[in-house]
Amino acid sequence: MSEDARWLAGLGEQARARLPREVYDYVAQGAREGVTAGEAAWAWHGHRLHPHVLRDVTDVDLSVPVLDGRAGVPWGIAPTTLQGAVHPDGELAVARATAEVDGLMVLTSNAGVTVEEVAATGVRWWLQAYLPSDRTLAIPLLRRAVAAGAGAVVLTVDTPVVATKYAAERAAVERRHPDLVGTNLELAAPNAEKALDLGPHDLDWLRELTGLPVVVKGVLRADDAVRCVQAGAAAVWVSNHGGRQLDRAVATAAALPDVVAAVGGRAQVYVDGGVRSGIDVVTALALGADAVFLGRPVMWALVEGELGVARMHREIGVQTVETLRLAGCSSVSDARGLASPAGLRSLAQAADLQ
């Protein structure tokens, strides 16, 4: 294991030591007792890979097709708010580092910087959106994102209400960092009541308003994935919101295979939740994900600013290439089917490995 691999594995503890307590707690916490958040990483450990041999792995291609082209790497940046509380450069540091690897960044609608500033970094980016009960409140930000070059709209659907947290609340972090309230926060109408009546018609509305492909984020069930595809979703994103919404929701590593099977290639399938290493990335790809997204590791790496996020990308890349070579794969597409849900051990067994 390289020195950087040890650095990557220890990012969370490094962040705990360096961040103000309320910022660390806000990022790290899950909803209520944190059951779902706590299971996320170890759920990937329960799958087993079935490697090929006698394959030429001299050159490994990490690029993957995404909705607006081809990304240079199969992992991207999940939308995460209050990045500026972790480092003053916040989203712009993440964007610049991600642009260097030709990666994809999904910008939260609650970002503390403008969409124009992010676009100016040259990163490939999509806008994550919540829909308020009054849909018209979302229009200004959506139109501004289109004008700035967003490649897709990612509709988060698992947050009709904000779940109870027992640790730091966002308001406490914002009081300490009032400068984080930027243009996007104002355009996104953060205090507006979230829609309790989201439905398939909202995908049509978003697509017609923006002219962009729509990704539905927060899907954990096969039947819901089918409804999304039937409603015109270009991609379905398997996510439990980092364990920050419904506690005791299923781990994404367990939900992914059924969603992939149900979608059946009619749309792309993405996944986040507990991905901490290159071997986790390959495991998700082997289970059928078209791309994998990182949340907390990005925030922990961001403690060191742009250099930290760039280092994270490099190490994930080294680990992903090594894993693909050991699995007999010269491209990301070769990894598909190398893992089976039948290889998933119980989370309790996986936890015993700690």
Side-chain angles (χ1 to χ4, degrees):
M1 181 182 291
S2 71
E3 182 180 350
D4 274 356
R6 289 191 291 269
W7 173 83
L8 186 65
L11 277 179
E13 286 307 308
Q14 294 172 45
R16 184 197 295 269
R18 296 176 61 179
L19 287 174
R21 179 172 179 177
E22 74 275 9
V23 174
Y24 175 84
D25 286 348
Y26 174 79
V27 176
Q29 71 185 341
R32 295 191 178 271
E33 289 83 12
V35 173
T36 296
E39 289 177 345
W42 284 102
W44 295 108
H45 291 230
H47 291 287
R48 292 294 177 265
L49 301 173
H50 302 265
H52 293 291
V53 295
L54 299 178
R55 302 287 184 94
D56 183 354
V57 292
T58 305
D59 298 312
V60 176
D61 180 8
L62 291 181
S63 67
V64 291
V66 291
L67 300 180
D68 58 347
R70 194 168 186 91
V73 294
W75 64 88
I77 307 300
T80 310
T81 193
L82 294 179
Q83 293 179 26
V86 175
H87 189 277
D89 293 340
E91 292 90 350
L92 298 182
V94 174
R96 289 191 292 262
T98 303
E100 286 297 313
V101 296
D102 190 23
L104 168 62
M105 177 178 181
V106 180
L107 180 69
T108 174
S109 59
N110 291 331
V113 297
T114 67
V115 293
E116 292 85 0
E117 289 175 295
V118 171
T121 67
V123 73
R124 180 193 303 272
W125 67 283
W126 299 349
L127 178 73
Q128 175 271 339
Y130 297 100
L131 288 186
S133 55
D134 179 356
R135 306 298 196 268
T136 63
L137 295 175
I139 292 176
L141 177 58
L142 290 166
R143 286 182 170 163
R144 190 164 175 176
V146 171
V153 176
V154 178
L155 175 63
T156 295
V157 296
D158 60 2
T159 314
V161 295
V162 177
T164 298
K165 313 288 195 305
Y166 294 158
E169 292 293 344
R170 176 176 151 183
V173 182
E174 287 182 348
R175 282 195 295 271
R176 183 181 175 107
H177 302 272
D179 55 314
L180 297 180
V181 181
T183 302
N184 285 350
L185 284 165
E186 294 165 2
L187 286 176
N191 298 318
E193 181 181 346
K194 286 185 169 62
L196 297 176
D197 59 345
L198 283 177
H201 58 281
D202 286 304
L203 276 63
D204 283 331
W205 181 79
L206 280 170
R207 196 167 50 248
E208 291 173 5
L209 176 70
T210 65
L212 298 176
V214 177
V215 180
V216 181
K217 179 179 181 289
V219 177
L220 293 171
R221 296 176 56 97
D223 53 355
D224 283 344
V226 170
R227 290 181 68 226
C228 292
V229 174
Q230 290 173 341
V236 173
W237 187 326
V238 178
S239 176
N240 56 31
H241 216 105
R244 299 168 74 86
Q245 279 301 101
L246 176 63
D247 199 19
R248 304 190 192 178
V250 64
T252 56
L256 176 61
D258 286 345
V259 170
V260 169
V263 170
R266 292 173 291 167
Q268 289 202 316
V269 177
Y270 309 141
V271 69
D272 67 20
V275 177
R276 301 289 184 264
S277 66
I279 196 167
D280 290 342
V281 170
V282 174
T283 300
L285 298 170
L287 291 168
D290 293 290
V292 183
F293 287 85
L294 309 175
R296 289 184 179 92
V298 180
M299 297 291 272
W300 303 149
L302 183 58
V303 172
E304 298 182 10
E306 181 180 344
L307 293 178
V309 180
R311 188 177 181 184
M312 180 208 73
H313 279 305
R314 287 197 303 273
E315 182 55 35
I316 292 284
V318 168
Q319 294 182 11
T320 300
V321 169
E322 177 186 281
T323 303
L324 287 171
R325 282 182 166 141
L326 291 172
C329 302
S330 61
S331 69
V332 169
S333 60
D334 289 344
R336 199 175 187 94
L338 289 187
S340 166
L344 183 61
R345 303 186 307 159
S346 73
L347 294 179
Q349 288 175 301
D352 286 343
L353 297 175
Q354 296 188 66

